[in-house]
Amino acid sequence: MTAYSTTPLAGTFGQIIQPQQPDGLPDPEAVMETFRHSGAVLLRGFPFTVESFTAFSDQCCPRFSKYVGGGIRFKALDRAARDASGTVLSTTGSTQSFSIPLHGEMYYQKDRPDLLWFYCATPPLTRGQTTLADGREMFAKLSERSKGLLRDKRLKYERDLTPDDWHTAFLTDDIEELRRLCQVNELSLEVMPDNSVRIDFIESALTHFEGREAFINNAVLLWDFEKLMREGFASKLFGDDQPAKPHMVVRFEDESELPGWLMDDIERVAEEVTVDVNWQAGDLVMVNNRGILHGRRKTVGEERDILVRLGHC
C-alpha cells in the first residue's frame, strides 16, 4: 500500500491506515487485504462521507443485514435505519450516557455479521470512544477456573417477547416468517396462546479465531443489563422507555446463572486488553466479528453520531 502509511492499532491486532497525501479514497482490495491479516482497520484522514462510506463498504461485502433478529431493539436502545436499503444504521440507542461492555455482534443467533463497519459522521465532544479487544487475548488472560467453566458449559440466550417485541426484533408480523427465521438461525421457538413467543439459543462462549481459542459472545452485555434492572439503575438511564423486564437474558445451558466471580474475572481482563478508538470526523473502522470484540465508552450530550453496517463476506 505505497500510497498509504500503516501503524499498529493494538499490540496483537489491528492497523491504522492513513493517506500519505489527501488525494482520494483508498483502494478497497488493498484495504481488505490488510483487514484479513489484522482483524481490524481504522481508516483515518480520508474524505469519507456517508455516501462514500456506503459505496466503499458495498465494494467489500456482498451482503448487509438489516439487524433482523436484533436482541437490543426496545425504544431507548434501538437502531434506526439511515438509508433506503435499511442497512446503514445508527449505533445502539439515542441515549449514550452509559457504557456498553465488550461483546460480539449478534452471538445469540447463527446468522451474525462477519464484518462490522463503523463510520463517524460526528465525533463526541467528550469520551464516547468505541472500544475493541482481541477475543484470543481475553481468553488467554482469564483464570484457569474461568477457562474451565467456559469450556465445560455452554451459554443459553433466552428471549420472552410480546407480539410487538418480536415484530420489532425480527422485522415481520408473520408468524410463519418468524418460524422460518428461527429455523435458519437454529433458534428454538415456542408460541404462546396470546401470540407472544419464547426463543432460546444455545452456543459456546468461545470460538476459534486464527487457530486459537477466543472469548466472544453477548454474555457480559446481557448480564450487565439484567443486573442494572435488578438494582434499579436502568430506570434512571431510560426513564419511561425502560422495559418491564429484559427482553433477553443469558444463562448456562442447565439454566444456572453465570456466577459473579466469573463476571468479575472477565471484567478484570477486559480492562487490561481494551483499546479505545478516539473518534475523529470521517473515521471508518472495520472489525472482524469472528474474534474481535467491541463496545462503547459513555458520553454526554447528543453530538455523537456513529453509523454502522453489518456486513456478511
Side-chain angles (χ1 to χ4, degrees):
M1 298 181 67
T2 57
Y4 319 119
S5 64
T6 61
T7 54
L9 177 63
T12 63
F13 74 98
Q15 291 288 326
I16 303 171
I17 300 176
Q18 296 176 283
Q20 293 179 347
Q21 294 181 346
D23 58 354
L25 300 179
D27 174 59
E29 185 174 336
V31 170
M32 285 300 294
E33 182 65 20
T34 299
F35 172 77
R36 281 189 284 270
H37 291 94
S38 64
V41 165
L42 165 58
L43 296 170
R44 172 164 286 168
F46 295 96
F48 279 110
T49 64
V50 175
E51 292 75 20
S52 60
F53 154 63
T54 304
F56 183 84
S57 51
D58 279 341
Q59 294 178 71
C60 299
C61 283
R63 180 169 71 93
F64 294 88
S65 168
K66 295 182 180 181
Y67 198 40
V68 177
I72 312 295
R73 298 223 65 158
F74 62 86
K75 298 177 184 177
L77 292 179
D78 199 5
R79 289 172 169 157
R82 300 282 283 271
D83 75 328
S85 74
T87 66
V88 178
L89 306 167
S90 63
T91 47
T92 305
S94 57
T95 301
Q96 302 187 47
S97 60
F98 58 95
S99 61
I100 295 178
L102 292 169
H103 62 283
E105 190 67 29
M106 301 181 78
Y107 269 74
Y108 40 77
Q109 64 179 40
K110 276 296 180 186
D111 186 20
R112 58 183 73 117
D114 303 305
L115 199 171
L116 309 179
W117 298 82
F118 297 96
Y119 170 70
C120 181
T122 306
L125 292 178
T126 178
R127 301 192 68 194
Q129 301 99 326
T130 288
T131 55
L132 302 176
D134 187 335
R136 297 165 298 186
E137 290 301 299
M138 278 281 292
F139 185 72
K141 291 178 178 293
L142 289 173
S143 69
E144 292 303 316
R145 184 185 184 194
S146 295
K147 289 178 184 177
L149 183 61
L150 294 173
R151 286 175 176 140
D152 290 344
K153 301 180 76 169
R154 295 189 297 176
L155 300 177
K156 184 177 184 181
Y157 300 97
E158 303 177 351
R159 294 198 237 191
D160 289 298
L161 303 175
T162 68
D164 285 345
D165 291 338
W166 66 259
H167 296 170
T168 299
F170 289 88
L171 303 181
T172 182
D173 58 5
D174 183 344
I175 193 67
E176 294 307 316
E177 174 63 6
L178 178 64
R179 292 185 194 278
R180 186 191 72 80
L181 290 169
C182 287
Q183 183 176 20
V184 166
N185 281 293
E186 300 182 14
L187 304 169
S188 67
L189 170 66
E190 182 180 1
V191 181
M192 309 302 176
D194 64 355
N195 218 30
S196 62
V197 299
R198 172 69 179 269
I199 295 174
D200 294 339
F201 180 66
I202 296 172
E203 181 80 300
S204 174
L206 311 175
T207 188
H208 279 82
F209 180 55
E210 303 293 338
R212 291 173 56 194
E213 283 180 289
F215 175 90
I216 185 165
N217 50 70
N218 289 100
V220 180
L221 175 63
L222 297 174
W223 192 88
D224 274 8
F225 187 67
E226 186 178 11
K227 183 172 181 284
L228 282 174
M229 291 198 68
R230 285 177 174 176
E231 296 176 352
F233 290 111
S235 61
K236 297 177 182 178
L237 292 174
F238 305 122
D240 293 339
D241 280 345
Q242 179 189 345
K245 62 178 182 177
H247 288 195
M248 188 188 307
V249 297
V250 62
R251 301 287 186 265
F252 282 122
E253 187 175 2
D254 61 8
E255 297 290 343
S256 62
E257 294 196 16
L258 280 60
W261 61 263
L262 170 66
M263 308 313 289
D264 289 344
D265 193 31
I266 293 169
E267 183 179 359
R268 172 189 63 82
V269 172
E271 286 299 313
E272 293 182 20
V273 301
T274 294
V275 175
D276 287 338
V277 175
N278 294 292
W279 288 109
Q280 297 179 18
D283 280 355
L284 193 160
V285 170
M286 305 160 61
V287 179
N288 191 327
N289 193 44
R290 299 188 188 102
I292 305 299
L293 303 112
H294 67 286
R296 183 185 74 200
R297 304 287 189 190
K298 66 181 180 181
T299 186
V300 295
E302 298 181 358
E303 292 81 6
R304 184 184 193 272
D305 187 18
I306 310 296
L307 304 181
V308 63
R309 297 192 88 188
L310 310 178
H312 298 259
C313 300

